[in-house]
Amino acid sequence: MQSFDRLAIRSFVALLTSVILPASVLAAQTRGYRVTGRIAVPGDGSWDYLTVDAAARRLYVAHGTRVQVLDIDGDTLVGEIPNTPGVHGVAVARDLGRGFTSNGRAASVTIFDLRTLATLDSVKVPGENPDAIVYDSASRRVFTFNGRSHNATAIDAATGRVVGTIALSGKPEFAVADGAARIFVNIEDRSELSALDPQALTVVATWPLPGCEEPSGLALDRVHRRLFAVCNNSRMIVVNADGGAVVATLPIGARVDGTAFDPETQLAFSSNGEGTMTVIAEATPDRYGVVASVPTERGARTIALDPRTHRVYTATAQLTPPEPATEMNPHPRPGIVPGSFVVLVLSR
C-alpha cells in the first residue's frame, strides 16, 4: 500500500472517532479493496486455513493431504509439505526456523524446516482432530486445538516433545497468541471465548460471547488488546482481551470462517463463504464501523493478511451441489470442480 493510501485510511479513522457516518460515505472512504489477483493452485481436495509468513514472503495453504507454499511476491507455487492428512493449519516459529502443521485425520503434527520445507519430525497428538494450531513465542510452545476431544495439546517447539494437555469447556475452533502471557481460543459449541496460560497450561478465564452463534475465526489487535471473533449468525464480536467485556457487535456477511486484523491500517476483515469480505475500521479501541463489503467468490471463507503489503488472501474453488443427505452423512458438503482451486488476492 502506498503512503497516500495509509494516510487516507488514517484520516478516515480520525473522522469516525467524532461522527458515525452513513454507510454510503463509509464505503467511499475505503473503496479500492478488490480482487486483484488469482493464483491457480493444483489439487482438488478440501482446504482450510491460510497462513502468511511475512518475513519469508510465503503463504501456506492447508489443502487436503498437503500444505502448498506460495511466494507472495511472485504469486507462484514454490513448494509443499506432503503427507499431512486432513491438514487444517500451519504455525510458524521463525525464531526456531521451524514450521508445524495440524493433521486432523492423522491426529499428528508435522514439523518442517522453514527454509527448505523438508519434514523434520512427526508428533502424535494425544487428542482427536487437531484443528487450529498456534505458536506461542513466550513459552516457545506450539498448541493444537483438538475439536473432538475438547482440549489443547502443548508441544515443545524445539524438541517436538508433548508437554501437556489443557481441558476446555467445549469444541475449540480458532486461536491466537498475544506473544506475552496469553492464548485465546473460540469455543464454538458454547459461544464462548477462553483465555489460556501457555506456561502453566491452565484456563485463566472463559467469557460468554452474547449474540454470537458458533464463533469460528479469531484475530487480535495486540496494541489495543482487542479480540475480533466472527460468528455463524453474521456477526463480529469485539472483546476486551484483558477482561472479556464485549465492546462492539458488528454485522458481517454469511457463512464466515476467518478474520484478520491489520495493525497499521486498523482495519479488521471477515471472509464470508457467501462470496464477500467485510471490512471494519477501528476508530478507537471501543468504536468500530463497517466500511465495505467486497465481492470475492462463493466458498472463500478463510483468510490471511500480509502486514507488509496489506494484501488479503482467501481461497476457494468452483462448487457443485452436495449429494442428498443420508443417515450416515446428514450434512453433506458441496463437491469441487476438478482443477478449479484458486487463491484470491485482494488489495487496494
Side-chain angles (χ1 to χ4, degrees), residues 121-183:
D121 200 359
S122 179
V123 180
K124 191 67 177 176
V125 173
E128 297 180 46
N129 188 31
D131 190 344
I133 186 168
V134 65
Y135 174 62
D136 174 60
S137 58
S139 64
R140 302 186 106 188
R141 291 171 172 174
V142 172
F143 290 78
T144 66
F145 292 85
N146 312 315
R148 282 197 291 272
S149 52
H150 295 186
N151 58 14
T153 298
I155 299 170
D156 185 304
T159 66
R161 181 176 62 91
V162 174
V163 295
T165 299
I166 306 174
L168 302 171
S169 63
K171 180 180 181 293
E173 188 56 25
F174 202 73
V176 292
D178 67 3
R182 291 291 178 266
I183 294 175

Side-chain angles (χ1 to χ4, degrees), residues 17-346:
T17 62
S18 60
V19 61
I20 301 299
L21 300 178
S24 59
V25 178
L26 294 177
Q29 291 286 348
T30 56
R31 65 173 177 264
Y33 258 107
R34 60 187 179 87
V35 175
T36 56
R38 296 170 56 87
I39 309 170
V41 180
D44 301 324
S46 61
W47 66 94
D48 208 344
Y49 302 127
L50 310 177
T51 304
V52 166
D53 181 349
R57 312 308 299 146
R58 285 175 168 175
L59 174 70
Y60 295 97
V61 182
H63 193 193
T65 61
R66 57 185 169 171
V67 174
Q68 290 162 302
V69 187
L70 304 182
D71 175 344
I72 55 176
D73 289 329
D75 290 350
T76 56
L77 182 67
V78 294
E80 68 175 49
I81 301 104
N83 304 317
T84 58
V87 62
H88 288 287
V90 173
V92 173
R94 179 135 296 282
D95 55 335
L96 299 174
R98 291 181 154 205
F100 305 81
T101 75
S102 55
N103 311 322
R105 290 205 299 270
S108 68
V109 167
T110 298
I111 305 176
F112 65 93
D113 184 284
L114 287 180
R115 184 177 61 85
T116 66
L117 303 181
T119 297
L120 302 175
D121 200 359
S122 179
V123 180
K124 191 67 177 176
V125 173
E128 297 180 46
N129 188 31
D131 190 344
I133 186 168
V134 65
Y135 174 62
D136 174 60
S137 58
S139 64
R140 302 186 106 188
R141 291 171 172 174
V142 172
F143 290 78
T144 66
F145 292 85
N146 312 315
R148 282 197 291 272
S149 52
H150 295 186
N151 58 14
T153 298
I155 299 170
D156 185 304
T159 66
R161 181 176 62 91
V162 174
V163 295
T165 299
I166 306 174
L168 302 171
S169 63
K171 180 180 181 293
E173 188 56 25
F174 202 73
V176 292
D178 67 3
R182 291 291 178 266
I183 294 175
F184 303 93
V185 58
N186 280 332
I187 306 299
E188 184 181 37
D189 58 341
R190 295 179 63 87
S191 294
E192 294 175 342
L193 178 62
S194 288
L196 314 181
D197 184 325
Q199 191 65 49
L201 301 183
T202 57
V203 177
V204 176
T206 295
W207 306 308
L209 292 173
C212 176
E213 297 176 6
E214 298 179 1
S216 53
L218 188 66
L220 173 66
D221 174 354
R222 290 189 176 189
V223 173
H224 299 127
R225 305 291 296 166
R226 293 295 182 264
L227 291 155
F228 303 86
V230 290
C231 315
N232 192 49
N233 57 328
S234 302
R235 293 288 182 272
M236 176 185 284
I237 310 294
V238 186
V239 177
N240 185 328
D242 292 322
V246 172
V247 300
T249 299
L250 299 137
I252 59 173
R255 300 197 295 279
V256 65
D257 196 26
T259 184
F261 179 77
D262 188 330
E264 183 173 345
T265 65
Q266 299 286 287
L267 294 177
F269 306 87
S270 73
S271 49
N272 314 313
E274 68 177 12
T276 65
M277 180 181 76
T278 306
V279 185
I280 290 170
E282 178 178 308
T284 73
D286 294 332
R287 297 185 67 188
Y288 302 82
V290 175
V291 296
S293 178
V294 181
T296 55
E297 292 183 14
R298 188 168 71 98
R301 65 187 189 277
T302 54
I303 192 170
L305 169 82
D306 176 13
R308 185 179 297 182
T309 64
H310 309 282
R311 289 180 178 176
V312 177
Y313 299 87
T314 185
T316 191
Q318 296 177 36
L319 303 177
T320 61
E323 297 293 325
T326 65
E327 184 176 348
M328 295 296 294
N329 186 16
H331 303 291
R333 293 187 174 185
I336 298 171
V337 175
S340 67
F341 184 65
V342 65
V343 170
L344 303 178
V345 185
L346 293 99

